[in-house]
Amino acid sequence: MQNNYQGPPQDFAMVVPVPVVLQKEDVKTLPREVFDRVDQLAAPRLVEYWEVDPCYVEPQYDERRVLRGGAPPPTAVPTDAADDLGVKIEAQFTVGEYEVVILSAQDSTGLDTWLRQGKYTIPEGAEPVLRPYVQAGMKFFVAKVDAKKVQFGPQGQAMLSPLRFHYDSDTFALPVRLGLLNAQGKQDLIVHIVARNQRYEAANYRNVAIPSNLEVSDATRRNFPGFYAALFDQTLARQPGAVVTEYAWATGSCDPCPTPPLDPSELMVLGADVMPSLGGYPNPGEFVLTRLHARYGAETLGEDIVFRAAQPIVGGREGGGPGQNEVGAVLSGYNNFQARYIIRHPWEGPIQCKNPQRGIWGGPPNGGEPPAIAARDLAFVPRNASLRTYLKVKMFEVPALPGEV
């Protein structure tokens, strides 16, 4: 989990329902570089192709990169309990800049009171949202941050370390309702799921695949995030409340690649080290990275998101030229789906052969690989771009994924 937080660090409080009591060995901070790599690898990408000389055949290419990271060791931090409120501290420890307590509670009102008495800054109206989690017997991962350990980035955002929780559960769900309490308008949620030989989707929301392989104008390069935000918003306007699939691909490859694929050490950092059936270092070709994207407000999100395994899909790949590319997602025996958008530069030079081969696309005329630009930080993009301004094809369909709910 990685959070964007803006405000005084002493006002930060994280409350996450979890199904079991977490101990300090179950919680780690991760290097931000790993999250950045995953986000960039699965993000919507803009590719730019030049038509090669119709008398020339393009060479192929491949590349790899290795990145390693560590996590700081946890320490302990004391916190007082209030037994008369029905709240019990099951565990307490420090991880990086986070001061963590794991709580159980008999009553949501008591939990709400305990948090406020403990100087945890939580919004008004939290008790009704906490109530179903307490009634379900959930535990609560509660964290403050040590202001002395926090660095700030652009626009006053606290640069908080990503957190990794490790637990076993029969239900694969993400509790998101609590996050709406402090929302100021719409919230963006991006979920990356790394699973062995398996793509995932939402089980309790409609699933749609983002339209892909759209031909866009040269101007899109100057505002690709704005273009994609407009496309995403139009997709949700046509399929309200949907969870949008933006990527499903093996972690060991990509085409095109905004950044090189993940390597075994990165999969270990992300959680493969605690998979009991792995039996050694993971093979990136056996893992699938799924990217799901939701945008919602308090009025549109009814329940936490539950995930389920889904059939493999393909789409968004190069199919030989304009008009021959996969715009939607279709079922397949393997996962090769991506949100990909294309600027093309047709060949304008002389053609000096009898049988020219048109529609062969490659990198810049002066050499190099076709560039791929990832759309990042989409939650902060001004949402005022006109989709019609960028699209060469004005009409498209929003493809539903098979088995949608």
Side-chain angles (χ1 to χ4, degrees):
M1 176 182 293
Q2 180 169 277
N3 292 280
N4 290 314
Y5 173 73
Q6 188 169 7
Q10 63 270 18
D11 289 347
F12 175 87
M14 178 189 296
V15 182
V16 182
V18 291
V20 298
V21 174
L22 300 177
Q23 302 298 333
K24 62 181 181 180
E25 61 268 21
D26 301 323
V27 183
K28 298 179 180 180
T29 57
L30 302 185
R32 294 180 63 89
E33 293 81 5
V34 173
F35 260 61
D36 289 342
R37 290 260 292 118
V38 171
D39 183 55
Q40 188 173 7
L41 181 62
R45 72 262 343 251
L46 176 67
V47 296
E48 195 165 355
Y49 293 126
W50 286 258
E51 188 178 18
V52 301
D53 185 338
C55 300
Y56 177 75
V57 178
E58 175 193 8
Q60 296 188 358
Y61 60 92
D62 191 16
E63 61 180 56
R64 294 292 185 269
R65 188 177 81 177
V66 176
L67 179 147
R68 293 180 295 273
T75 58
V77 59
T79 305
D80 295 330
D83 294 335
D84 56 335
L85 295 173
V87 176
K88 180 181 179 182
I89 298 177
E90 304 284 356
Q92 57 186 31
F93 45 87
T94 294
V95 180
E97 66 268 39
Y98 299 96
E99 300 172 352
V100 178
V101 293
I102 308 297
L103 304 177
S104 60
Q106 300 176 10
D107 178 78
S108 57
T109 301
L111 176 59
D112 183 277
T113 302
W114 188 95
L115 291 169
R116 297 182 192 281
Q117 290 181 352
K119 307 301 181 183
Y120 290 90
T121 305
I122 61 174
E124 295 298 326
E127 186 275 329
V129 182
L130 292 168
R131 189 182 307 151
Y133 297 112
V134 173
Q135 293 173 344
M138 299 285 280
K139 314 304 179 186
F140 296 88
F141 176 99
V142 181
K144 295 179 180 178
V145 297
D146 183 345
K148 297 179 181 178
K149 298 180 180 180
V150 177
Q151 296 180 344
F152 289 87
Q155 302 176 339
Q157 290 187 18
M159 306 296 289
L160 300 177
S161 300
L163 277 167
R164 190 185 95 173
F165 308 157
H166 161 222
Y167 58 82
D168 296 323
S169 174
D170 293 332
T171 302
F172 188 12
L174 184 65
V176 293
R177 286 174 292 174
L178 282 173
L180 288 172
L181 291 173
N182 61 351
Q184 297 179 355
K186 297 288 187 180
Q187 285 193 336
D188 251 39
L189 173 68
I190 295 176
V191 180
H192 295 95
I193 299 174
V194 180
R196 201 170 188 181
N197 298 316
Q198 193 68 66
R199 175 180 75 89
Y200 275 79
E201 65 182 10
N204 56 337
Y205 286 87
R206 181 180 297 274
N207 293 281
V208 299
I210 194 74
S212 187
N213 264 350
L214 301 179
E215 304 276 343
V216 298
S217 67
D218 190 69
T220 307
R221 187 192 311 103
R222 297 191 293 271
N223 189 21
F224 178 47
F227 154 77
Y228 186 78
L231 175 64
F232 184 87
D233 289 348
Q234 185 164 328
T235 300
L236 285 189
R238 298 186 181 191
Q239 299 281 359
V243 174
V244 181
T245 296
E246 296 179 329
Y247 192 82
W249 203 288
T251 61
S253 66
C254 49
D255 183 21
C257 298
T259 187
L262 299 179
D263 64 71
S265 67
E266 291 172 310
L267 292 176
M268 295 291 280
V269 169
L270 291 168
D273 59 322
V274 295
M275 293 182 66
S277 61
L278 193 59
Y281 246 48
N283 176 2
E286 295 180 356
F287 285 81
V288 174
L289 172 60
T290 303
R291 176 183 170 109
L292 303 175
H293 189 171
R295 184 172 174 84
Y296 50 78
E299 72 284 355
T300 57
L301 186 70
E303 54 188 0
D304 293 337
I305 302 176
V306 180
F307 303 103
R308 67 184 177 196
Q311 292 179 272
I313 55 174
V314 297
R317 303 172 299 180
E318 183 71 7
Q324 302 178 36
N325 291 315
E326 305 157 325
V327 176
V330 296
L331 292 176
S332 178
Y334 59 96
N335 287 291
N336 257 178
F337 178 79
Q338 59 186 340
R340 172 179 177 266
Y341 309 94
I342 312 160
I343 298 173
R344 295 189 187 274
H345 304 276
W347 175 259
E348 297 180 349
I351 299 177
Q352 300 176 343
C353 61
K354 292 183 178 180
N355 299 305
Q357 300 296 313
R358 300 304 301 262
I360 300 175
W361 303 90
N366 58 355
E369 299 172 0
I373 303 171
R376 308 285 301 281
D377 297 325
L378 293 170
F380 308 103
V381 173
R383 311 187 89 85
N384 56 2
S386 171
L387 186 60
R388 187 175 297 272
T389 303
Y390 299 103
L391 285 179
K392 287 188 174 181
V393 179
K394 301 301 182 183
M395 300 298 295
F396 60 89
E397 295 295 327
V398 179
L401 292 175
E404 69 174 23
V405 175

